[in-house]
Amino acid sequence: MLLFFTLGLLIHFVFFASIFDIYFTSPLVHGMTPQFTPLPPPARRLVLFVADGLRADTLYELDENGTSRAPFIRNIIMHEGSWGISHTRVPTESRPGHVALIAGFYEDVSAVAKGWKENPVEFDSLFNESKYTWSWGSPDILPMFAKGASGDHVYTYSYDAKREDFGAQDATKLDTWVFDNVKDFFHHARNNQSLFSKINEEKIVFFLHLLGIDTNGHAHRPSSRDYKDNIKKVDDGVKEIVSMFNHFYGNDGKTTFIFTSDHGMTDWGSHGAGHPSETLTPLVTWGAGINYPQRVSAQQFDDSFLKEWRLENWKRLDVNQADIAPLMTSLIGVPFPLNSVGILPVDYLNNTDLFKAESMFTNAVQILEQFKVKMTQKKEVTLPFLFTPFKLLSDSKQFNILRKARSYIKHRKFDEVVSLCKELIHLALKGLSYYHTYDRFFLGINVVIGFVGWISYASLLIMKSHSNLIKAVSKEVKKPSHLLPCSFVAIGILVAFFLLIQACPWTYYVYGLLPVPIWYAVLRECQVIQDLVTSLLTYPLSHFVGYLLVFTLGIEVLVLSFFYRYMLTAGLTAFAVWPFLTRLWTRAKVTSLSWAFFSVLLAVFPLMPVVGRKPDISLVMGAGLLVLLLSLCVVTCLMKRKDSFRKEELLVHLLQVLSTVLSMYVVYSTQSSLLRKQGLPLMNQIISWATLASSLVVPLLSSPAVFQRLFSILLSLMSTYLLLSTGYEAVFPLVLSCLMFVWINIEQETLQQSGVCCKQKLTSIQFSYNTDITQFRQLYLDDIRRAFFLVFFLVTAFFGTGNIASINSFDLASVYCFLTVFSPFMMGALMMWKILIPFVLVMCAFEAVQLTTQLSSKSLFLIVLVISDIMALHFFFLVKDYGSWLDIGTRQLLACTAWLFIYISASPNRLWIPSDPGLDLNLLHAIHACISHYVIVMSMTIFLVFLNGLAQLLTTKKLRLCGKPKSHFM
């Protein structure tokens, strides 16, 4: 059995990883020739301002007094330059946003392992193509472009990472640091001949990364005075820098300025998903080569922003975020970034029609080069008779379009050139996506075959070893045939040879060959299959169909709960009614009423808002008081039982009560300190980390009796959970634990009702690691319900207070008791533990269910495995990257995040999306959601093994405060 679980774990890791080979491989190709416009550029230098986390509406709108928060920028819009909205894509995070701006393509998933800070793949960028680039700002953003550059021409100046403190007194100092250092740099250049000559070269870039707005948005929300005041300070700083540049270069008119943002921010201070507040960012350009403001009488857009911002008479030019990279390259005359998929927004250019046409032609050739390389790579590793080229852009069509475009330029038909080149770009991008997903169907079929085979084998193993379903059927032992193994060996050789001659990656061998041994193991059990069919034929058809429909309905409810959280409410409401539909109500009225009460109470949480809630420390304090009140009642009851409650255990309970009180104090004190902008007190930080460290140790000091140990685990984990809570979610683990306690009791009642065993008091049952295996019983039909309950409670633990498939369901304020300085992995790990705490509580309760119902954890785990794998197969089929508004709207999926392994899901919000600009934002939203849901289910299956071990450790291990430790492992 150990071998089976080990192999099962490895197989699930393969299924888990397959989603990334199928949907998230790097889109980048190499080997293209640099392309640049052959005409003189309008600018010698470019200044790029990126105000991190700045929303378009907050910049453009007028305040309550009818004045602009950024008067300098608004003056530019009305009198000097062009403006619009830059539409970003999920994941709306800093690194992917900057890569789109500066390199012109959308980030791929391989960056998640580096926390979006390093360069997991090599890529070209505007900075790399420039003669020199100087950059100032965050240490999280600047190094990746310097690291990816060829040569030493990209210079970075960053402040210390510790300055990125969400609890700091004034986050605007981050932006002030950038402006001051730029001024000092130019002052120093006047006295440094070498530097002076460099900054007077052409094709140079100055990059100012301004992080203060993003930091204030996370800490205080975008509606706060801090966020809006920061915009004013940035506006003042930009005005000073522009004045300094004009003065330094003698107003030569050869400087282009671009002001934009990498992403926006939700009203609750997060980003990462696809809400319009996150994807709509400002774009304001002025200076050399940029069109002057254009007055218009009317504009047609699907939104009402122009009227709200009072900019309806100034022409708005919207772009995709990746389009800004080719705009910047054309302005200073450097080659287009080799991996750019942006389309040059010619309406921003103030130049001759010939320049616009040549620039657009260069843009088309640059993207076509990527298509050609991608096609060649795929053609080289595919058998000729199996290769299917992209028919919409054949070699002859490419030649005809390029020839026609050149002819139009020669005959000065520049508008036709631009139109034709845009058509070529769209076809090339479709072709890139086609070849990038060329092997998707083949890989998907292999994974599905393996999935179905594994589910079939696990189901047969349940029937064979853990149930009485086929015991009554005679088992005639047949002599094994050599035909079956020989056939599968031949199939494996053929598959391996097919992959070998196509020079496929090694992962293709894994996906292609894995189904072979799995289905061999299934067909080896042909006798079991025959016995199962024979047994089912003797079963009443109406009963069989009824049970099958109930099982299918349960699976579908679980699947739908990933899309619609209110399905959890429906499921919990059905759970509440369940005892009254059986004989349990007549046997255990108090237990049945308690079950119904706590089921309905827990059902309220999925109906509460996931995101957008404001921190409410009073609810956290209320949850702490409930824990203290419950502790008092439990300790009082246990003290009356002198035979089962010793001084050592009383001391442990008092220690846990003290820990809860300290957690409440730290939450309140930290909140007050941050509101006064005094940062995180050191003592609070020490107490928080000490509480977290002790939460898995203190329960081991309590009695191994089921009730006492489970209550001790609840107290310890609640202390940590209070520190990680900001509102109503603090009550969730408490209600969940109460329901788990009733579940243990009601499962005892169901077994007593069926006559399997007698009910015992939970204070008298001891957790023990070495349980007598003879006490285990065979599986009954009702055990499928128990397994389903476990899966449902696990899903409820995940989604009860939020949707972990969406990165913006998380509030960074949750970790402020532990740290306020930005640290993505540490913050992510703390949020992961917050998610896992309800999970651990469910698993510990289930340990008690298995113990009290004499049920083997191995047999029940197999049922849970089958249920989870069927759900995962659902999500695997739901993943798609095509469709209409209707397809997406009917599913209304939530986006995922980033930080895949951190959140037991893939930030899927921080995953790469195919680079076709025709894909709708909601479609990208949907792709991420389905994939994140698939990964959550697969992760749940994998992590279930480890958390089952953790639950066993927490429930069975016994330590003493003094003397020789006593272990129940021995």
Side-chain angles (χ1 to χ4, degrees), residues 172-428:
T172 60
K173 290 182 178 179
L174 299 175
D175 299 335
T176 304
W177 184 95
V178 171
F179 293 133
D180 290 344
N181 275 266
V182 173
K183 294 173 189 175
D184 293 341
F185 171 83
F186 275 89
H187 178 74
H188 175 67
R190 294 184 181 277
N191 303 316
N192 186 318
Q193 187 58 43
S194 174
L195 179 59
F196 185 82
S197 62
K198 286 181 180 179
I199 62 177
N200 277 283
E201 295 276 2
E202 59 180 14
K203 306 183 190 304
I204 61 174
V205 178
F206 300 93
F207 172 44
L208 284 69
H209 177 242
L210 309 169
L211 188 62
I213 293 174
D214 184 75
T215 306
N216 270 317
H218 285 307
H220 308 291
R221 309 290 188 269
S223 59
S224 66
R225 177 54 54 192
D226 304 82
Y227 185 88
K228 294 173 181 177
D229 287 347
N230 202 153
I231 295 176
K232 178 66 172 66
K233 291 190 177 182
V234 165
D235 183 70
D236 293 338
V238 170
K239 180 180 180 180
E240 293 176 7
I241 295 299
V242 170
S243 176
M244 183 202 68
F245 265 88
N246 290 335
H247 176 71
F248 187 90
Y249 289 105
N251 293 304
D252 62 354
K254 292 294 183 178
T255 307
T256 301
F257 300 94
I258 293 183
F259 181 89
T260 187
S261 176
D262 54 347
H263 56 75
M265 187 171 289
T266 62
D267 293 339
W268 48 93
S270 68
H271 54 82
H275 191 273
S277 61
E278 300 167 89
T279 60
L280 303 182
T281 58
L283 174 62
V284 182
T285 62
W286 68 100
I290 297 295
N291 255 335
Y292 290 103
Q294 302 176 55
R295 295 295 296 263
V296 292
S297 57
Q299 301 184 69
Q300 295 296 324
F301 286 96
D302 294 332
D303 53 61
S304 58
F305 293 141
L306 287 170
K307 189 174 182 180
E308 294 172 10
W309 300 337
R310 300 184 189 177
L311 290 172
E312 56 266 40
N313 295 325
W314 280 266
K315 189 173 182 180
R316 168 180 149 188
L317 303 171
D318 285 9
V319 300
N320 290 319
Q321 192 173 48
D323 299 342
I324 298 175
L327 173 64
M328 294 189 292
T329 56
S330 65
L331 287 167
I332 59 174
V334 299
F336 285 66
L338 294 175
N339 304 113
S340 171
V341 295
I343 303 175
L344 177 66
V346 291
D347 290 339
Y348 273 85
L349 296 177
N350 179 21
N351 212 314
T352 63
D353 290 338
L354 174 61
F355 181 87
K356 294 178 183 179
E358 286 285 1
S359 297
M360 200 70 210
F361 182 81
T362 304
N363 190 188
V365 172
Q366 171 259 324
I367 294 177
L368 183 62
E369 281 285 312
Q370 296 181 67
F371 168 79
K372 289 180 177 179
V373 171
K374 194 77 172 178
M375 181 183 67
T376 303
Q377 289 177 353
K378 185 54 60 181
K379 194 172 183 179
E380 288 175 351
V381 296
T382 305
L383 294 175
F385 64 91
L386 292 177
F387 180 73
T388 305
F390 182 63
K391 296 178 181 179
L392 296 179
L393 194 57
S394 61
D395 291 343
S396 59
K397 186 163 187 177
Q398 296 174 39
F399 177 78
N400 288 335
I401 292 177
L402 293 175
R403 180 179 55 79
K404 190 180 292 186
R406 271 294 165 206
S407 174
Y408 283 154
I409 292 175
K410 184 177 180 181
H411 292 90
R412 307 187 67 79
K413 297 180 179 180
F414 300 123
D415 290 340
E416 287 84 349
V417 174
V418 172
S419 177
L420 193 61
C421 288
K422 285 183 178 180
E423 178 189 349
L424 178 58
I425 288 174
H426 285 296
L427 288 174

Side-chain angles (χ1 to χ4, degrees), residues 301-573:
F301 286 96
D302 294 332
D303 53 61
S304 58
F305 293 141
L306 287 170
K307 189 174 182 180
E308 294 172 10
W309 300 337
R310 300 184 189 177
L311 290 172
E312 56 266 40
N313 295 325
W314 280 266
K315 189 173 182 180
R316 168 180 149 188
L317 303 171
D318 285 9
V319 300
N320 290 319
Q321 192 173 48
D323 299 342
I324 298 175
L327 173 64
M328 294 189 292
T329 56
S330 65
L331 287 167
I332 59 174
V334 299
F336 285 66
L338 294 175
N339 304 113
S340 171
V341 295
I343 303 175
L344 177 66
V346 291
D347 290 339
Y348 273 85
L349 296 177
N350 179 21
N351 212 314
T352 63
D353 290 338
L354 174 61
F355 181 87
K356 294 178 183 179
E358 286 285 1
S359 297
M360 200 70 210
F361 182 81
T362 304
N363 190 188
V365 172
Q366 171 259 324
I367 294 177
L368 183 62
E369 281 285 312
Q370 296 181 67
F371 168 79
K372 289 180 177 179
V373 171
K374 194 77 172 178
M375 181 183 67
T376 303
Q377 289 177 353
K378 185 54 60 181
K379 194 172 183 179
E380 288 175 351
V381 296
T382 305
L383 294 175
F385 64 91
L386 292 177
F387 180 73
T388 305
F390 182 63
K391 296 178 181 179
L392 296 179
L393 194 57
S394 61
D395 291 343
S396 59
K397 186 163 187 177
Q398 296 174 39
F399 177 78
N400 288 335
I401 292 177
L402 293 175
R403 180 179 55 79
K404 190 180 292 186
R406 271 294 165 206
S407 174
Y408 283 154
I409 292 175
K410 184 177 180 181
H411 292 90
R412 307 187 67 79
K413 297 180 179 180
F414 300 123
D415 290 340
E416 287 84 349
V417 174
V418 172
S419 177
L420 193 61
C421 288
K422 285 183 178 180
E423 178 189 349
L424 178 58
I425 288 174
H426 285 296
L427 288 174
L429 290 175
K430 284 184 180 179
L432 272 173
S433 180
Y434 171 80
Y435 286 118
H436 184 69
T437 60
Y438 192 84
D439 295 329
R440 183 172 294 178
F441 180 76
F442 168 74
L443 295 175
I445 286 294
N446 279 281
V447 171
V448 169
I449 293 173
F451 241 129
V452 174
W454 171 258
I455 293 171
S456 303
Y457 181 66
S459 302
L460 289 174
L461 193 61
I462 293 170
M463 304 297 179
K464 178 182 178 182
S465 305
H466 300 279
S467 75
N468 293 314
L469 188 60
I470 61 174
K471 295 294 183 184
V473 181
S474 62
K475 296 183 179 179
E476 180 184 348
V477 179
K478 295 183 178 180
K479 185 178 180 181
S481 170
H482 295 293
L483 178 62
L484 186 65
C486 291
S487 300
F488 276 90
V489 168
I491 292 171
I493 292 173
L494 286 174
V495 171
F497 180 73
F498 175 75
L499 297 173
L500 180 65
I501 59 178
Q502 295 197 104
C504 293
W506 67 269
T507 52
Y508 283 40
Y509 289 86
V510 176
Y511 306 135
L513 293 174
L514 185 61
V516 177
I518 291 178
W519 277 101
Y520 171 68
V522 171
L523 296 181
R524 275 190 63 188
E525 304 294 340
C526 58
Q527 185 62 50
V528 178
I529 297 172
Q530 293 175 11
D531 293 347
L532 178 61
V533 172
T534 304
S535 179
L536 290 177
L537 288 176
T538 63
Y539 205 70
L541 181 62
S542 59
H543 288 189
F544 174 75
V545 173
Y547 285 127
L548 185 62
L549 287 176
V550 170
F551 180 78
T552 304
L553 178 63
I555 293 292
E556 293 306 317
V557 168
L558 284 172
V559 171
L560 287 173
S561 67
F562 280 68
F563 299 91
Y564 311 102
R565 291 175 62 237
Y566 60 77
M567 292 303 297
L568 294 175
T569 299
L572 289 167
T573 305

Side-chain angles (χ1 to χ4, degrees), residues 95-116:
R95 177 193 162 105
H98 282 87
V99 169
L101 283 170
I102 298 167
F105 72 93
Y106 299 101
E107 188 65 281
D108 64 280
V109 71
S110 54
V112 74
K114 298 282 188 177
W116 307 99

Side-chain angles (χ1 to χ4, degrees), residues 591 594-595 598 737-747:
T591 304
S594 300
W595 169 265
F598 286 113
S737 297
C738 291
L739 182 60
M740 292 298 99
F741 173 74
V742 180
W743 184 33
I744 298 168
N745 282 274
I746 208 167
E747 291 297 355

